[in-house]
Amino acid sequence: MEGSLLEPILYSVKAIAILDSDGNRILAKYYDKNVFPTPKEQRTFEKNLFNKTHRANAEIIMLDGLTCVYKSNVDLFFYVMGSSNENELILMSVLNCLYDSVSQILRKNVEKRAVLESLDIVMLAMDEICDGGIIIDADSSSVVSRVALRNDDIPIGEQTVAQVFQSAKEQLKWSLLK
Amino acid sequence: MSGFKRDKKEEEDGGGNPFQNIEKTIVLQEARIFNETSVNPRKCTPILTKLLYMLNQGEQLSAKEATDVFFAMTKLFQSKDVILRRLVYLGIKELSSIADDVIIVTSSLTKDMTGKEDLYRAAAIRALCSITDATMLQAIERYMKQAIVDRNPAVSSAALVSSLHMTKIAPEVVKRWVNEAQEAVNSDNIMVQFHALGLLYHIRKSDRLAVTKLVARLTRTMSSKSPYAVCMLIRIAAKLIEEEGADSNSPYFDYIEACFRHKSEMVVYEAAYAVVNLNRTTNRELAQAISVLQLFCGSPKPTLRFAAVRTLNQVAISHPAAVTACNLDLENLITDSNRSIATLAITTLLKTGAESSVDR
């Protein structure tokens, strides 16, 4: 591993991924065309990364020449990858932003099911955090304010029976908790 | 009870996963709903989400399939639903490299980027630049310049980042926006400052005098609020030291050393990394950087310990003697729960360690 001065460029993130508890991709973005150019190579890398990280809660690992920082919760694994010479703390700040944004979007309910239910918003948030490898924003509250959370007040006529049930159940739950 | 259990199991198996078993042909078929005269966001949003999810999973579309769905998607511009519109931008970016005639959405996106709705503007700029080529860039040049100096930080950042992407295909055009970038670098927003500095440096990097001036001005005036911008400035300063062969009395050195006292760990580490990787670092400066890294070795944060030991490992190759001061800290890291840290600590000790430490 040869040390060298870092080139002053803005492109610092090579990839971002969210995997489930089987190591399958929920969302992933690769920003550098030279790093795992085909979907197949990406899958192999993700499987490998997952196998190395899903038991050890160690936060950082070097794999295939990339520095990967990660974080997990219930059945989700969040990863941010950068070159092996990149400032690890910058990558960590991106990971924290990703995690906190998702957590705010899902109202602290960070699990696979909730991510899939709000997948559109989570995709928008990922897009607000990093563009083509450049960190756009690393402050989760500003990211969340930019993705325009859906408002829940769907007119009653357009709700499905399930939605009506759900909101009634929640109201009942809250009234019992009081 | 058993019924409940079964339900639960079914749920776990994907009953609750709307994206299980999606098929390309079906999704593309469903996407035809976009062509209907009145757009229903509640129906179209889930379908577009499904389409984006499918692309994200690595599904490949032929040029014809991509073009068809791209054109269907352009119909969604009729809707004013914010989320749907933003998803359309994502779709445009995803398909811009596969579909034909993507420039068809130029006017819609230009309208959104100059419109009133702030939630559209920034994202529209980024989508627009993904479909723009060198000749078309001149047509939207005026709007890009305006956007760079926009008061809304999201808009300004989006324009700066997109400009930087555009330097790959139209460097001559982007060069003309240097005044706007210059203005943006004085912004109060930490990200705008960072992006503007990145663009300015990229435009000017072959002009040594301009870079020197830029660094001289920014090292004096730039607020230290933006750790990202400061990291970038450290990298530029280090590069200048290397190129000019400056000695340790240079103002660039002073700036980097001052960053050891920055309140952001990210910046402190960046400064230490720069110093140890300079060719001309003197022993005094090296000692200072190493004591910073030594401090990080005891951090409760694994990432910080990793960063420190990785850098010490690099120093140990060129200056093993300087690292011996950290041997005790490194020995503590051998049993670190993070295996990467432990491995790096061991290999570093092998370069610096004396016999006494090998015994332990």
Side-chain angles (χ1 to χ4, degrees):
Chain A
M1 191 171 51
E2 193 58 27
S4 57
L5 283 176
L6 288 163
E7 205 38 46
I9 47 169
L10 293 186
Y11 297 89
S12 44
V13 180
K14 298 283 183 200
I16 293 182
I18 305 177
L19 307 181
D20 71 7
S21 52
D22 298 317
N24 292 318
R25 175 191 294 188
I26 294 175
L27 286 172
K29 269 278 188 210
Y30 290 77
Y31 299 106
D32 186 338
K33 289 205 171 60
N34 303 314
V35 175
F36 312 116
T38 66
K40 196 165 166 262
E41 287 166 281
Q42 295 173 3
R43 295 266 163 187
T44 319
F45 171 71
E46 281 161 28
K47 283 279 173 218
N48 202 354
L49 181 64
F50 179 76
N51 287 336
K52 290 245 171 16
T53 54
H54 76 287
R55 266 183 310 246
N57 203 2
E59 201 173 285
I60 186 162
I61 187 175
M62 271 183 125
L63 190 67
D64 293 343
L66 294 178
T67 300
C68 317
V69 291
Y70 63 97
K71 202 171 190 160
S72 65
N73 191 342
V74 194
D75 51 2
L76 287 175
F77 292 79
F78 298 80
Y79 299 89
V80 172
M81 275 67 83
S83 94
S84 59
N85 278 326
E86 187 51 70
N87 184 330
E88 291 87 346
L89 305 179
I90 292 183
L91 298 177
M92 201 61 198
S93 74
V94 178
L95 177 70
N96 286 334
C97 174
L98 172 70
Y99 184 87
D100 295 343
S101 306
V102 171
S103 170
Q104 280 176 49
I105 290 166
L106 306 178
R107 309 216 163 91
K108 300 232 153 68
N109 183 23
V110 184
E111 52 178 35
K112 181 180 174 185
R113 213 187 149 84
V115 166
L116 290 172
E117 273 164 14
S118 301
L119 196 70
D120 44 359
I121 311 285
V122 175
M123 283 196 281
L124 292 177
M126 262 173 85
D127 182 61
E128 285 297 331
I129 293 170
C130 186
D131 184 299
I134 300 180
I135 306 165
I136 298 196
D137 205 339
D139 172 23
S140 59
S141 52
S142 132
V143 167
V144 172
S145 76
R146 288 181 189 190
V147 293
L149 279 180
R150 194 196 316 274
N151 63 37
D152 282 331
D153 309 324
I154 308 168
I156 200 107
E158 291 187 38
Q159 288 183 0
T160 64
V161 179
Q163 279 170 329
V164 174
F165 254 114
Q166 184 64 32
S167 65
K169 225 161 67 184
E170 252 158 43
Q171 274 172 23
L172 184 68
K173 200 165 76 187
W174 281 111
S175 62
L176 287 175
L177 281 172
K178 258 179 225 163
Chain B
M1 193 61 205
S2 67
F4 170 74
K5 256 187 191 155
R6 199 172 54 237
D7 282 350
K8 183 98 179 146
K9 185 71 194 140
E10 273 168 13
E11 255 176 37
E12 278 170 5
D13 281 351
N17 180 353
F19 301 101
Q20 196 114 64
N21 310 322
I22 59 169
E23 273 191 49
K24 181 166 86 170
T25 45
I26 296 171
V27 176
L28 290 179
Q29 183 127 34
E30 283 179 328
R32 289 192 192 150
I33 196 181
F34 300 163
N35 287 312
E36 281 177 10
T37 34
S38 71
V39 175
N40 180 343
R42 206 145 296 138
K43 275 189 195 153
C44 294
T45 308
I47 295 171
L48 187 50
T49 309
K50 231 190 255 186
L51 177 76
L52 289 168
Y53 174 79
M54 185 181 85
L55 294 170
N56 193 281
Q57 290 293 313
E59 186 73 64
Q60 311 273 349
L61 298 187
S62 69
K64 165 120 190 12
E65 286 166 337
T67 310
D68 284 351
V69 74
F70 186 89
F71 273 72
M73 216 166 56
T74 59
K75 305 280 173 27
L76 301 178
F77 269 101
Q78 294 170 59
S79 166
K80 290 219 173 358
D81 186 90
V82 180
I83 292 174
L84 185 59
R85 178 71 61 94
R86 295 280 297 270
L87 289 174
V88 171
Y89 299 152
L90 277 193
I92 290 173
K93 284 200 276 191
E94 287 300 321
L95 296 172
S96 61
S97 55
I98 330 168
D100 301 321
D101 302 321
V102 290
I103 53 166
I104 189 112
V105 287
T106 304
S107 66
S108 305
L109 288 172
T110 320
K111 213 171 108 201
D112 284 354
M113 110 179 228
T114 52
K116 281 201 200 75
E117 177 62 87
D118 276 343
L119 283 170
Y120 292 167
R121 289 167 71 212
I125 292 170
R126 295 194 280 126
L128 181 60
C129 286
S130 76
I131 57 157
T132 301
D133 59 23
T135 48
M136 277 191 10
L137 190 59
Q138 306 197 8
I140 58 163
E141 183 170 4
R142 187 160 59 96
Y143 304 119
M144 287 301 289
K145 282 180 167 181
Q146 274 168 11
I148 290 176
V149 293
D150 198 278
R151 294 232 312 269
N152 182 316
V155 172
S156 178
S157 273
L160 288 162
V161 169
S162 302
S163 307
L164 196 66
H165 294 321
M166 299 307 279
T167 55
K168 287 185 199 124
I169 55 165
E172 291 310 314
V173 182
V174 179
K175 257 187 196 156
R176 299 201 290 254
W177 307 348
V178 73
N179 288 334
E180 283 75 15
Q182 194 85 254
E183 196 178 323
V185 92
N186 297 325
S187 162
D188 291 332
N189 182 280
I190 62 169
M191 292 320 276
V192 172
Q193 225 175 50
F194 169 59
H195 297 136
L197 176 59
L199 180 63
L200 266 183
Y201 176 74
H202 186 85
I203 294 176
R204 298 216 152 147
K205 65 181 170 195
S206 50
D207 178 355
R208 173 84 56 81
L209 188 67
V211 175
T212 320
K213 274 190 190 155
L214 178 70
V215 175
R217 185 166 65 86
L218 289 180
T219 48
R220 265 184 287 116
T221 60
M222 197 164 64
S223 75
S224 51
K225 264 196 323 186
S226 172
Y228 300 95
V230 175
C231 284
M232 181 78 185
L233 204 52
I234 291 174
R235 291 182 196 188
I236 302 175
K239 210 175 154 73
L240 282 176
I241 295 173
E242 207 74 325
E243 283 171 358
E244 292 179 359
D247 59 19
S248 47
N249 295 322
S250 127
Y252 309 133
F253 257 123
D254 294 344
Y255 179 71
I256 297 179
E257 281 195 333
C259 288
F260 284 147
R261 293 182 293 279
H262 198 278
K263 60 178 185 295
S264 161
E265 285 167 340
M266 185 193 286
V267 171
V268 177
Y269 170 63
E270 184 78 44
Y273 184 92
V275 167
V276 302
N277 280 292
L278 281 169
N279 278 330
R280 304 177 60 91
T281 303
T282 63
N283 282 334
R284 187 184 63 82
E285 288 138 12
L286 200 60
Q288 218 180 344
I290 283 176
S291 65
V292 166
L293 295 171
Q294 185 172 15
L295 212 62
F296 285 171
C297 281
S299 162
K301 296 179 194 159
T303 303
L304 209 50
R305 295 199 300 274
F306 177 91
V309 68
R310 176 178 72 92
T311 310
L312 287 173
N313 189 37
Q314 287 172 357
V315 191
I317 299 172
S318 48
H319 304 88
V323 185
T324 39
C326 305
N327 275 2
L328 217 58
D329 304 84
L330 290 168
E331 280 169 34
N332 288 333
L333 293 180
I334 291 179
T335 51
D336 200 286
S337 59
N338 183 317
R339 275 174 59 191
S340 307
I341 296 176
T343 316
L344 281 166
I346 293 169
T347 50
T348 314
L349 279 171
L350 287 175
K351 289 168 197 139
T352 64
E355 268 174 61
S356 61
S357 62
V358 175
D359 286 343
R360 274 177 276 168

